[in-house]
Amino acid sequence: MGVRIVITAGFLFFLLLFVIIGMLSYFKSKNSAEDYLIAGKSIASWLAGLSAVATNNSGFMFIGMVGLTYTTGLASIWVMIGWIFGDLLGNLLAVRQIRLASGQESIHSFGGLLANWHGTDYTWLRRLSGLLTVIFLGAYAAAQLKAGDKATTVIFGWEQSSGIIIGAVIVLLYSYAGGLRASIWTDAAQSFVMLFGMLLLMFAGTQYIGGIEPVMAALGNVSHDYMNWFPDKTTLGIVLFIVGWIFGGMAVLGQPHIVIRFMSLDKPEHINRLRAYYYSWFTLFYGATIIVGLLARIILPETQGFDQELALPTMAKLLLPDVLVGLILAAMFAATMSTADSLVIACSGAITRDFLPHQKHSLRAAKMATAFVVLTALVIAISDSKTVFNLVLLAWGLLASAFVPLILVYSRKQLPSEPLAIMMVLVGVAGYLFWYYLGLGGLIYEVVPGIMSGLFVYWGTLLFAPHQIRQVEYST
């Protein structure tokens, strides 16, 4: 009983810290719907960078990626390499243009960005993007709450769904108080705890086994192919595997909750600073995650019925002092909340800006939308049985397939007509779902045919009906 009290105390201390930081943002807020949804487009580069990367690296990393590495071995490093390279490629192609476009006074949501990018007013595109944002991000938020619940179930022995409810309540508290600014402030704090927690477990696991040399020897004994650099596929299969994850990284451009961080940056000329913070943290954290997954396979040998997505919290409970177990659990919750709160605010903007334009200046309506989205995500999380890894990839891929083609086209100073833009979004989603339901994800990640489907619509139109596309210039 005493052990559990110490773990719980450490856990609650860090959660309370995040809530306080989020609540303090209330005193910086300007008490307007615009500030609630987009933080006045005044966020410093280091805050925007750390917030975006913490939001990107969600419970998927602590639960899904550790579990994937535990199962597949060193070959999971290509998920990291492909993902970060694709993310960087997408960033270089479009993020500066996103910030320039979002400088317009009328843009305070992701749907508004797509509808008004080049000074247009695509009402139906706004509504469609708002609808897809709410549906897909709602499922995504549910996945984050489930990730936190897995941890509390293992470490505390709580009833399933207890962690879901705790996470939902905390996200609601500080999101309701400070909106996007609260989300960004807590993300930055959570990013430090997330990184420290992963590095701590990496070093503790290495010491437990006896050092680097015993670790390498033990990994070599797991199986004949566990430490192979490439997955057990043909050359073509390896190429498709890596290409799939490059597209998975580029998919960040289609994630409303991350793009809003780029929109909130104070000045477009600070993009390079944002990138420096973003990719330094991203690379270090992802690398540590893979190492922890490998260490977990040695420390926790695979047995029948073992849930690999619980490898990290189980490992923490075995290796660390009780108070640090609380820290690891708080870090996992930080990862889930740093994404969940972002998803919730993005959905709130979609509801009030894209569906209820007569309420777009109402702070009360924005906060009511926040409460509605949290409740919906809570219900989905409690009732859905998919693994965190699969649920995140499904939502991530659908959002990317819907929006990445259009953002890439916009960023190249091309303005498709509204019917063409809507067609690109719908065909992208259809392409993803077609591949998904045929069960071809093992060949290549479904996001590739999804994004390419939307782009093929654009290229086909450019060839056969070029009058549907205009060349435009950015205003600086």
Side-chain angles (χ1 to χ4, degrees), residues 76-327:
S76 69
I77 196 171
W78 289 103
V79 178
M80 168 186 167
I81 293 171
W83 199 287
I84 293 179
F85 177 78
D87 189 300
L88 177 60
L89 181 60
N91 194 300
L92 293 173
L93 287 173
V95 168
R96 186 178 300 275
Q97 288 77 11
I98 286 171
R99 181 59 187 88
L100 287 170
S102 65
Q104 299 176 54
E105 183 62 31
S106 60
I107 296 178
H108 296 95
S109 69
F110 183 77
L113 176 71
L114 298 184
N116 304 118
W117 188 300
H118 291 302
T120 53
D121 186 15
Y122 287 170
T123 303
W124 287 104
L125 177 61
R126 177 193 285 269
R127 291 172 180 169
L128 175 62
S129 60
L131 176 64
L132 296 180
T133 295
V134 172
I135 292 174
F136 297 155
L137 289 191
Y140 199 163
Q144 302 312 307
L145 297 178
K146 283 179 70 68
D149 186 55
K150 278 180 172 281
T152 56
T153 299
V154 170
I155 294 181
F156 292 147
W158 291 352
E159 293 292 327
Q160 286 194 343
S161 300
S162 299
I164 293 175
I165 295 171
I166 291 173
V169 170
I170 291 174
V171 167
L172 179 61
L173 280 175
Y174 64 72
S175 295
Y176 200 85
L180 183 67
R181 193 183 305 278
S183 177
I184 289 175
W185 283 21
T186 53
D187 284 350
Q190 289 158 356
S191 69
F192 291 109
V193 175
M194 289 163 62
L195 183 59
F196 178 75
M198 194 64 77
L199 291 174
L200 175 66
L201 208 48
M202 182 181 76
F203 287 115
T206 302
Q207 293 302 310
Y208 179 83
I209 297 168
I212 295 177
E213 289 187 8
V215 166
M216 298 306 297
L219 287 172
N221 293 327
V222 172
S223 69
H224 72 280
D225 61 351
Y226 191 71
M227 290 301 288
N228 286 354
W229 279 96
F230 294 97
D232 186 17
K233 298 176 180 286
T234 64
T235 301
L236 177 60
I238 292 171
V239 171
L240 292 177
F241 178 80
I242 296 172
V243 168
W245 289 108
I246 290 174
F247 272 73
M250 285 186 64
V252 70
L253 296 178
Q255 311 305 313
H257 56 296
I258 300 176
V259 171
I260 285 176
R261 265 90 184 134
F262 303 143
M263 294 165 60
S264 72
L265 182 65
D266 54 0
K267 296 178 182 179
E269 52 265 33
H270 290 166
I271 289 291
N272 285 337
R273 296 183 191 175
L274 181 151
R275 287 173 179 148
Y277 289 109
Y278 184 97
Y279 290 105
S280 297
W281 192 98
F282 201 170
T283 303
L284 182 58
F285 182 75
Y286 216 141
T289 300
I290 290 176
I291 293 173
V292 169
L294 295 173
L295 293 172
R297 183 58 181 267
I298 303 172
I299 297 169
L300 307 169
E302 191 172 27
T303 57
Q304 186 175 5
F306 178 69
D307 184 352
Q308 68 271 16
E309 291 195 339
L310 297 176
L312 187 142
T314 304
M315 187 172 161
K317 194 173 182 181
L318 175 65
L319 299 181
L320 299 177
D322 299 333
V323 67
L324 294 182
V325 174
L327 169 66

Side-chain angles (χ1 to χ4, degrees), residues 283-460:
T283 303
L284 182 58
F285 182 75
Y286 216 141
T289 300
I290 290 176
I291 293 173
V292 169
L294 295 173
L295 293 172
R297 183 58 181 267
I298 303 172
I299 297 169
L300 307 169
E302 191 172 27
T303 57
Q304 186 175 5
F306 178 69
D307 184 352
Q308 68 271 16
E309 291 195 339
L310 297 176
L312 187 142
T314 304
M315 187 172 161
K317 194 173 182 181
L318 175 65
L319 299 181
L320 299 177
D322 299 333
V323 67
L324 294 182
V325 174
L327 169 66
I328 293 297
L329 182 56
M332 295 179 68
F333 250 78
T336 63
M337 291 189 300
S338 67
T339 301
D341 56 17
S342 310
L343 300 165
V344 166
I345 296 299
C347 288
S348 301
I351 292 171
T352 56
R353 290 278 168 170
D354 304 332
F355 290 123
L356 304 171
H358 59 287
Q359 295 285 349
K360 66 181 182 180
H361 296 301
S362 171
L363 179 58
R364 180 172 177 271
K367 291 188 174 185
M368 288 179 64
T370 296
F372 169 76
V373 173
V374 171
L375 179 61
T376 302
L378 177 65
V379 172
I380 295 173
I382 291 174
S383 61
D384 192 272
S385 61
K386 291 183 181 294
T387 66
V388 171
F389 188 84
N390 289 336
L391 198 56
V392 168
L393 289 184
L394 180 63
W396 184 274
L398 284 168
L399 288 164
S401 301
F403 301 130
V404 169
L406 189 57
I407 287 179
L408 289 175
V409 168
Y410 278 160
S411 298
R412 298 301 95 195
K413 303 181 181 179
Q414 302 293 305
L415 177 60
S417 65
E418 184 173 20
L420 175 56
I422 290 174
M423 183 63 69
M424 290 174 63
V425 171
L426 293 177
V427 171
V429 171
Y432 182 96
L433 292 175
F434 176 78
W435 204 261
Y436 180 81
Y437 284 109
L438 284 181
L440 298 176
L443 178 62
I444 192 168
Y445 182 22
E446 296 90 345
V447 76
V448 178
I451 291 177
M452 294 307 297
S453 296
L455 290 175
F456 280 137
V457 170
Y458 168 75
W459 290 328

